[in-house]
Amino acid sequence: MAAKRRRKPAKGERFEFIQVLSLIGLALVLIGAYTRWIPDAWNIPLIALISVILAFTNIKKEEFGAFLLAAVALTIVTGLNFSEITTLGIGDFVNKFLIYFKWLVAPATLILAVRELWNIMKD
């Protein structure tokens, strides 16, 4: 009896490491915004580390401009004060979420901005 070969899942059928890492980053953002289950001294560096890994592995060269533009938009939105929305504490949650989400995006933004500036100055 021949051994049955396992079928390797197609690329879209399984989670890639980067997708799992992105979900972990988003979970840490939600944990930081909603509860203090993980102290900020651990949570923020973990989120920043995930951001650095994603910057080097996941963002393609043709996506740099769109990513940097989205980061600028996130920075502008983070400056708004959502705490005026007092219904069910939604405003405070949105403010905290944006702060932690900014930590997920900011290190990658810095890395990509430096890479783009380097490429511009090289030419």
Side-chain angles (χ1 to χ4, degrees), residues 13-87:
E13 293 180 359
R14 59 188 162 95
F15 278 109
E16 299 288 328
F17 172 72
I18 296 304
Q19 291 171 327
V20 172
L21 196 61
S22 299
L23 290 174
I24 292 171
L26 184 60
L28 289 172
V29 167
L30 290 172
I31 288 170
Y34 187 70
T35 181
R36 294 287 181 233
W37 183 59
I38 300 174
D40 285 347
W42 286 94
N43 197 10
I44 291 175
L46 284 173
I47 292 171
L49 178 64
I50 289 171
S51 177
V52 169
I53 293 170
L54 292 175
F56 282 116
T57 60
N58 196 37
I59 302 170
K60 298 174 189 73
K61 193 168 193 85
E62 57 270 3
E63 297 173 336
F64 282 9
F67 184 86
L68 293 173
L69 182 63
V72 168
L74 175 66
T75 303
I76 291 169
V77 170
T78 305
L80 299 175
N81 185 12
F82 289 94
S83 61
E84 295 172 358
I85 305 171
T86 56
T87 308

Side-chain angles (χ1 to χ4, degrees), residues 116-123:
E116 280 296 295
L117 288 173
W118 178 258
N119 288 334
I120 290 169
M121 288 188 282
K122 232 176 27 177
D123 292 338

